[in-house]
């Protein structure tokens, strides 16, 4: 992760979780960001305990306002355009762990 990514990530954690959280989304987390080399685009990976489709639609609708707040929070020459995507890494790891346990049932007995 680049230094710019880490600065944007910290700022977006505060902005998104603090100001755009809604009870219908459950617990929201900004997991990672990926900024293009020219700093014009930034993909923000978010996760939620509840509705993933509604969360990304909502954040993408509010992306302009979030981008404006990001510009006030960080000192960058150019503030990238934000695109929000749901990060399903946690779900993937849970499925992978379940598959491993079904293949190797002795591992469960050793615990």
């Amino acid at each position: 992760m680049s230094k710019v990514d880490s600065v944007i990530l910290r700022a977006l954690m505060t902005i998104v979780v603090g100001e755009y959280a809604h009870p219908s989304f459950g617990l929201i987390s900004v997991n990672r960001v990926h900024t293009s080399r020219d700093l014009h685009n930034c993909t923000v990976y978010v996760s939620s305990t509840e509705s993933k489709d509604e969360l990304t639609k909502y954040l993408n609708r509010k992306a302009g306002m979030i981008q404006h707040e990001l510009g006030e929070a960080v000192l960058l020459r150019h503030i990238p355009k934000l695109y929000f995507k749901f990060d399903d890494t946690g779900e993937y790891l849970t499925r992978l762990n379940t598959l491993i346990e079904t293949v190797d049932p002795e591992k469960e007995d050793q615990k």
Side-chain angles (χ1 to χ4, degrees):
M1 179 184 301
S2 73
K3 189 171 184 176
V4 172
D5 285 351
S6 63
V7 168
I8 290 174
L9 176 64
R10 273 184 272 142
L12 285 176
M13 284 176 160
T14 304
I15 294 167
V16 171
V17 174
E19 298 178 29
Y20 292 91
H22 191 273
S24 65
F25 300 139
L27 181 64
I28 298 174
S29 175
V30 180
N31 298 336
R32 59 191 167 105
V33 299
H34 177 73
T35 308
S36 64
R37 289 180 188 235
D38 62 1
L39 299 179
H40 282 85
N41 298 302
C42 179
T43 304
V44 182
Y45 295 91
V46 295
S47 61
S48 160
T49 56
E50 298 296 324
S51 56
K52 61 182 178 182
D53 292 333
E54 290 85 15
L55 174 64
T56 54
K57 286 178 186 176
Y58 174 75
L59 291 175
N60 280 313
R61 279 196 314 267
K62 300 291 184 180
M65 292 170 41
I66 297 170
Q67 182 178 345
H68 177 75
E69 291 179 39
L70 179 64
E72 293 177 347
V74 298
L75 296 173
L76 292 174
R77 175 175 274 162
H78 179 77
I79 302 300
K81 183 168 174 59
L82 302 175
Y83 299 95
F84 291 90
K85 288 189 174 183
F86 191 79
D87 186 8
D88 58 355
T89 305
E91 294 172 6
Y92 173 75
L93 291 175
T94 302
R95 284 192 311 251
L96 187 61
N97 194 26
T98 303
L99 288 173
I100 290 172
E101 288 175 358
T102 59
V103 172
D104 190 10
E106 293 178 12
K107 183 178 179 183
E108 188 66 33
D109 294 336
Q110 293 174 356
K111 289 184 179 179

